[in-house]
C-alpha cells in the first residue's frame, strides 16, 4: 500500500477467523482475490471489497490476485478491464497475479467432463423455461428432467457436440446432477454450461459454450490456490454448491467462501446495471461523471485514495446490511484534505469592490499562509489592487443584526489583508447593485500597529486585475431520494436530482490556480475543497467542488427521512 499506515485494520469477523486459523496452523499464508466482472466501472461498493481483500494478506502475509470474472462475453469489454486495473492501482493496491476466468476455460471443460464421467452431470435439451418450472419452490421439491438419467457415453457425446459448434444457442445445457429435492434450490441440478455463439474478448471464437458463474467461480479460486474467497451475502445460498463442486472435482486446492454484507450508500445507486443505464441514457456525462459513485467519478470529483480507504476501514465488515450516509464518505474526504490541502482564495459569484483610497494602477503583494496549522507548507504572495472581487453573499444591503459580513457603513477584514469599511453602494438606473466603494484602514495590515484590531467578520477576495476567470462546478446528491432504487412503483431514474450539477461561469480565482494540474487539491477559503477538472485548460480552467467545508447535508437529510 502506498502512503497510508500498515493495514492493522479494524477488527471484524473475517479477520478474527483468519487469525484463529493461522494460529491453529491451517494455513501458511492467506491468498485472496478481487473478482470483478468487466462489464462496467468499479464503484464505491467494490472499494469495500478491494480494501478487505487486499488488506488481509497485507496484514497476515500472503497476496491478492486480481481476477477478471469474464465468463459472459455479452457485456464484457476491454475498456472496462483497463478502467478496473487503473482504479485498483489508484486506490493504492498491487495484485500479485492478474488472472482471467477465461484462462481456465480448457480446465473447466475438463472438470465438466470429469463430472459427466462420474455420473454427476448430464446434458438437458429442455428450454430454460421448462428447467425453471421444474425447479420447485422453497416448500416443494423439484421435478427431474426426462434427460436426467442418460448414460455417461451419451452425455459425453452430447457435451462434445455442444462444444463443437453444431448446436444453436439454447439447444441444450449441461447440468450438475445433485439432488432435485434438496432444500437449497441451488443444488437442484444447476446449469453449469450454456451454448452461446458469441466471440469473447480474450478467447475469440475458440468457445461457443460458456460456464455458469457458479461453475467458474469456485474452480477458478481453487486453481489459483485462493484460501479465502470473500463475497457478498447474496452468495451465501450458493456456498453448498460451491463446496459440492470443490468436493467432487479434481481441483488442486480447497478454498473457503465467506460472505459479508454489501455496502449501500444513500442518495445513489450501487449496481453496475443501474449505473450503466445512467451512462447509456445520458443522465450523466460518463462513468467518471463526478456525481457517479464510481471510483473514476469520485476521483474526478476530488476524492483521494486515503479518504476512500479510511471510509472503508471505518464502516467495517459485518453480516448485516445497512445503508451508510453519503455524508460519511464526504467527512473522510474533508478530514483528509483539511490536513493536506493548500489554502487559496477564490470568488464563486463575484461582486466588484473598489478601494477608493488604494492607489490606482498599483499592486501590493501581501503574504498569505498556505496552511494555517502547517507552517512548513510555506507562504505565498497574493496581489491586492484597487479593484477586487468579493462574494455576492458576503454583502447585504439590509442586513440583520447577526450578519457579520459587509453591510453599508460596516467594517470587515479582508482575509490576508486589512480592514475595510463600506462607504457607498453603487447601483444602476434599474436599481441593481453594480459595485461597492470602500475605504481601507492601512494601519490594520499585518505588521502594522492596528494589525490586531478585531472586527466580527473576515471575508475572502481576489484582485480584479490579477484574478483568473474560471468555470466552477458544484455537485449535489445525484438522487432526490435516500433509496432511489428501492421504490418498486417508480423507475429509479425518475428520482434523479435535476439540480445535482450547478455550473458557475464567472468565478474568479487567485492567480497561480491556472497552473494547477489534475490530481492537485486546494481549500478555497471559506468555500470548500476544490480540484482541477480534466475539461479545463490553462487559459480556461475548470474546477470541481469536491466537498464543502461543513456538512450542510446532515440537517437537510434528516428532514427528508
Ligand atoms: P454490481 O451489483 O454492481 O453489478 P457485482 O457484484 O455484480 O456488482 P462484480 O464485478 O461481480 O459486481 O463484483 C466484484 C466483487 O465486488 C464481488 O466480490 C462483489 O461481491 C463485490 N461487490 C460488488 N458490489 C459490492 C458492494 N456494494 N459492497 C461490497 N462488495 C461489493
Ligand atoms: Mg456480478
Amino acid at each position: 500500500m502506498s502512503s497510508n499506515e500498515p493495514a492493522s485494520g479494524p477488527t471484524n469477523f473475517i479477520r478474527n477467523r483468519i487469525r484463529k486459523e493461522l494460529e491453529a496452523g491451517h494455513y501458511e499464508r492467506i491468498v485472496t482475490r478481487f473478482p470483478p466482472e468487466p462489464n462496467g466501472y468499479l464503484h464505491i461498493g467494490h472499494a469495500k471489497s478491494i480494501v478487505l481483500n487486499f488488506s488481509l494478506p497485507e496484514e497476515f502475509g500472503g497476496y491478492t490476485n486480481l481476477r477478471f470474472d469474464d465468463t459472459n462475453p455479452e457485456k464484457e469489454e476491454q475498456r472496462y478491464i483497463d478502467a478496473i486495473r487503473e482504479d485498483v492501482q489508484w486506490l493504492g493496491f498491487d495484485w500479485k497475479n492478474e488472472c482471467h476466468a477465461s484462462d481456465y476455460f480448457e480446465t473447466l471443460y475438463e472438470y465438466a467432463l470429469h463430472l459427466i464421467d462420474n455420473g454427476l452431470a448430464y446434458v438437458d435439451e429442455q428450454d430454460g423455461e421448462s428447467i425453471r418450472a421444474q425447479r420447485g419452490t422453497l416448500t416443494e421439491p423439484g421435478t427431474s428432467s426426462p434427460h436426467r438419467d442418460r448414460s455417461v457415453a451419451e452425455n459425453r457425446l452430447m457435451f462434445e457436440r455442444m462444444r463443437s459448434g453444431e448446436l444453436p444457442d439454447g439447444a441444450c445445457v449441461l447440468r450438475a446432477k445433485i439432488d432435485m429435492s434438496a432444500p437449497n434450490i441451488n443444488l437442484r441440478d444447476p446449469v453449469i454450461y450454456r451454448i452461446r455463439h458469441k466471440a469473447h474478448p480474450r478467447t475469440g471464437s475458440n468457445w461457443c459454450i460458456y460456464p455458469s458463474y457458479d461453475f467458474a467461480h469456485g474452480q477458478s479460486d481453487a486453481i489459483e490456490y485462493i484460501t479465502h474467497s470473500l463475497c457478498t451475502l447474496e452468495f451465501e445460498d450458493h456456498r453448498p454448491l460451491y463446496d459440492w463442486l470443490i468436493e467432487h472435482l479434481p481441483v488442486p486446492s480447497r478454498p473457503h467462501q465467506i460472505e459479508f454484507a454489501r455496502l449501500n450508500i444513500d442518495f445513489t445507486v450501487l449496481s453496475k446495471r443501474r449505473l450503466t443505464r445512467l451512462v447509456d441514457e445520458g443522465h450523466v456525462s460518463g462513468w467518471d461523471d463526478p456525481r457517479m459513485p464510481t471510483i473514476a467519478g469520485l476521483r474526478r470529483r476530488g476524492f483521494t485514495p486515503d479518504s476512500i480507504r479510511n471510509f472503508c476501514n471505518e464502516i467495517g465488515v459485518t453480516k448485516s446490511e445497512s445503508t451508510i450516509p453519503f455524508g460519511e464518505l464526504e467527512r473522510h474526504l474533508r478530514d483528509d484534505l483539511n490536513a493536506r490541502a493548500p489554502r487559496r482564495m477564490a470568488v464563486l459569484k463575484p461582486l466588484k469592490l473598489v478601494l477608493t483610497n488604494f492607489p490606482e494602477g498599483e499592486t501590493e503583494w501581501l503574504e498569505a499562509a498556505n496552511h494555517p496549522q502547517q507552517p512548513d507548507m510555506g507562504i505565498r504572495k497574493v496581489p491586492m489592487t484597487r479593484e477586487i472581487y468579493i462574494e455576492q453573499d458576503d454583502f447585504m444591503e439590509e442586513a440583520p443584526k447577526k450578519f457579520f459580513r459587509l453591510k453599508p457603513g460596516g467594517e470587515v477584514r479582508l482575509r490576508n489583508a486589512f480592514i475595510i469599511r463600506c462607504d457607498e453602494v453603487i447601483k444602476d438606473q434599474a436599481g441593481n447593485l453594480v459595485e461597492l466603494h470602500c475605504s481601507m484602514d492601512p494601519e490594520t495590515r499585518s505588521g502594522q500597529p492596528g494589525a490586531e484590531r478585531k472586527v466580527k467578520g473576515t471575508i475572502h477576495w481576489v484582485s480584479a486585475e490579477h484574478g483568473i476567470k474560471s468555470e466552477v462546478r458544484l455537485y449535489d446528491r445525484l438522487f432526490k431520494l435516500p433509496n432511489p432504487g428501492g421504490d418498486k412503483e417508480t423507475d429509479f431514474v425518475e428520482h434523479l436530482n435535476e439540480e445535482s450539477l450547478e455550473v458557475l461561469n464567472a468565478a474568479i480565482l487567485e492567480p497561480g490556480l491556472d497552473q494547477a494540474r489534475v490530481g492537485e487539491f486546494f481549500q478555497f477559503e471559506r468555500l470548500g475543497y476544490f480540484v482541477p477538472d480534466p475539461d479545463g485548460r490553462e487559459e480556461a480552467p475548470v474546477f470541481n467542488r469536491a466537498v464543502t467545508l461543513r456538512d450542510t447535508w446532515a440537517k437537510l437529510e434528516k428532514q427528508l427521512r
Side-chain angles (χ1 to χ4, degrees):
M1 205 184 292
S2 57
S3 60
N4 74 333
E5 24 195 71
S8 57
T11 168
N12 63 56
F13 74 99
I14 298 179
R15 188 162 164 259
N16 292 343
R17 169 172 161 176
I18 290 179
R19 180 172 328 113
K20 282 199 196 107
E21 288 170 346
L22 286 167
E23 278 164 11
H26 294 318
Y27 302 99
E28 277 163 28
R29 57 171 191 201
I30 297 304
V31 184
T32 59
R33 84 289 168 267
F34 173 63
E37 183 180 355
N39 60 350
Y41 276 54
L42 299 181
H43 53 63
I44 182 73
H46 293 112
K48 173 176 178 173
S49 173
I50 293 170
V51 169
L52 178 66
N53 275 299
F54 281 87
S55 342
L56 291 167
E58 265 173 16
E59 181 179 359
F60 292 112
Y63 59 84
T64 305
N65 288 344
L66 174 61
R67 172 170 351 118
F68 291 102
D69 207 338
D70 56 350
T71 53
N72 177 1
E74 305 287 341
K75 291 186 180 151
E76 295 162 3
E77 291 179 33
Q78 184 60 38
R79 65 185 173 120
Y80 296 137
I81 293 186
D82 298 337
I84 289 169
R85 285 189 193 122
E86 183 184 352
D87 290 347
V88 175
Q89 273 168 340
W90 179 78
L91 281 171
F93 297 107
D94 279 320
W95 50 91
K96 166 106 171 180
N97 307 298
E98 179 181 310
C99 309
H100 299 256
S102 57
D103 294 341
Y104 313 134
F105 280 171
E106 195 63 51
T107 310
L108 293 171
Y109 179 75
E110 277 158 26
Y111 286 163
L113 289 176
H114 179 94
L115 289 183
I116 293 173
D117 289 346
N118 286 280
L120 296 172
Y122 59 97
V123 172
D124 194 342
E125 286 136 290
Q126 300 182 99
D127 57 31
E129 210 161 303
S130 314
I131 293 177
R132 224 168 297 125
Q134 289 167 4
R135 285 184 86 193
T137 64
L138 287 175
T139 47
E140 282 167 54
T143 314
S144 293
S145 160
H147 309 294
R148 196 169 197 263
D149 293 315
R150 271 191 219 279
S151 70
V152 167
E154 198 184 349
N155 276 317
R156 235 193 128 103
L157 202 74
M158 292 283 294
F159 190 49
E160 276 158 11
R161 283 186 66 204
M162 275 174 72
R163 180 187 186 168
S164 73
E166 63 193 87
L167 302 173
D169 285 7
C172 45
V173 294
L174 184 70
R175 298 175 70 178
K177 188 172 175 178
I178 307 180
D179 180 358
M180 284 310 288
S181 52
N184 183 324
I185 295 181
N186 291 304
L187 295 177
R188 294 182 189 168
D189 294 7
V191 171
I192 58 176
Y193 262 95
R194 288 187 178 81
I195 303 175
R196 192 159 288 165
H197 289 270
K198 169 99 188 167
H200 186 283
R202 288 178 62 86
T203 58
S205 49
N206 291 355
W207 294 90
C208 62
I209 54 171
Y210 291 97
S212 66
Y213 171 86
D214 282 319
F215 192 67
H217 197 86
Q219 280 54 262
S220 301
D221 286 342
I223 292 167
E224 292 174 24
Y225 291 87
I226 301 301
T227 55
H228 297 82
S229 179
L230 312 179
C231 63
T232 37
L233 282 177
E234 66 269 27
F235 293 104
E236 196 165 23
D237 288 348
H238 295 237
R239 180 156 29 100
L241 175 56
Y242 185 103
D243 290 340
W244 186 91
L245 289 165
I246 295 287
E247 199 174 308
H248 291 89
L249 288 170
V251 289
S253 79
R254 293 192 118 248
H256 291 278
Q257 175 178 305
I258 310 176
E259 310 84 18
F260 62 95
R262 39 191 318 122
L263 169 64
N264 302 301
I265 294 196
D266 65 3
F267 294 95
T268 193
V269 288
L270 292 185
S271 126
K272 274 183 283 184
R273 192 173 46 79
R274 290 202 171 110
L275 296 173
T276 304
R277 237 191 101 189
L278 293 179
V279 174
D280 288 351
E281 294 178 9
H283 300 293
V284 293
S285 66
W287 283 99
D288 69 343
D289 185 301
R291 293 166 294 177
M292 289 280 272
T294 51
I295 306 297
L298 293 169
R299 172 168 64 231
R300 184 164 174 187
R301 166 93 160 247
F303 276 80
T304 59
D306 282 328
S307 64
I308 294 177
R309 283 198 310 254
N310 293 343
F311 168 80
C312 291
N313 281 322
E314 190 175 287
I315 56 171
V317 177
T318 66
K319 279 241 179 222
S320 54
E321 293 261 349
S322 64
T323 300
I324 311 286
F326 193 86
E328 283 300 295
L329 194 52
E330 294 185 316
R331 182 169 60 77
H332 282 280
L333 179 61
R334 214 176 267 126
D335 287 351
D336 185 25
L337 294 187
N338 181 33
R340 303 195 286 146
R343 274 47 175 172
R344 293 289 184 268
M345 290 198 286
V347 172
L348 300 188
K349 295 178 184 167
L351 168 61
K352 184 168 282 178
L353 187 154
V354 182
L355 293 167
T356 49
N357 58 342
F358 192 98
E360 214 156 330
E362 273 187 27
T363 298
E364 179 180 351
W365 293 88
L366 297 162
E367 289 195 338
N370 285 330
H371 194 295
Q373 285 94 40
Q374 313 240 21
D376 11 329
M377 284 176 71
I379 51 165
R380 67 189 189 285
K381 302 259 180 151
V382 287
M384 173 62 84
T385 48
R386 181 180 165 91
E387 294 195 351
I388 62 173
Y389 289 110
I390 65 165
E391 211 69 64
Q392 285 168 16
D393 284 352
D394 281 337
F395 173 77
M396 240 178 141
E397 194 161 9
E398 321 249 337
K401 239 184 152 172
K402 287 256 157 94
F403 187 80
F404 296 127
R405 290 165 274 167
L406 202 55
K407 50 193 163 193
E411 279 190 320
V412 81
R413 182 174 279 278
L414 293 181
R415 179 102 179 113
N416 300 312
F418 36 68
I419 294 173
I420 60 168
R421 170 188 305 279
C422 178
D423 304 317
E424 210 179 334
V425 179
I426 311 295
K427 294 185 177 172
D428 63 13
Q429 288 189 334
N432 299 314
L433 182 55
V434 175
E435 59 187 37
L436 302 176
H437 286 186
C438 300
S439 46
M440 61 157 175
D441 177 355
E443 295 286 288
T444 54
R445 279 187 182 89
S446 153
Q448 300 292 318
E452 299 301 312
R453 180 153 87 81
K454 292 268 182 291
V455 285
K456 280 254 163 89
T458 298
I459 64 173
H460 59 273
W461 54 277
V462 173
S463 156
E465 187 187 328
H466 298 272
I468 310 290
K469 200 160 170 258
S470 171
E471 177 178 321
V472 172
R473 299 175 182 168
L474 308 181
Y475 302 101
D476 199 347
R477 302 292 188 265
L478 186 52
F479 289 92
K480 288 179 289 197
L481 284 187
N483 182 11
D487 181 356
K488 292 262 164 9
E489 302 296 306
T490 55
D491 187 10
F492 76 103
V493 296
E494 288 176 34
H495 303 304
L496 279 162
N497 173 10
E498 304 83 36
E499 281 151 32
S500 57
L501 168 64
E502 186 183 356
V503 179
L504 304 175
N505 287 307
I508 308 285
L509 314 179
E510 179 183 319
L513 284 170
D514 47 338
Q515 307 291 319
R517 295 280 165 268
V518 170
E520 291 186 76
F521 41 75
F522 302 92
Q523 184 194 95
F524 289 177
E525 295 201 61
R526 300 179 62 234
L527 297 174
Y529 297 94
F530 292 76
V531 301
D533 186 87
D535 281 350
R537 304 276 160 272
E538 199 171 308
E539 58 291 356
V542 177
F543 274 78
N544 295 320
R545 183 174 68 195
V547 64
T548 53
L549 282 186
R550 270 171 292 277
D551 187 2
T552 47
W553 249 88
K555 248 194 264 159
L556 255 170
E557 231 172 314
K558 265 196 204 119
Q559 292 167 7
L560 278 164
R561 268 166 204 287

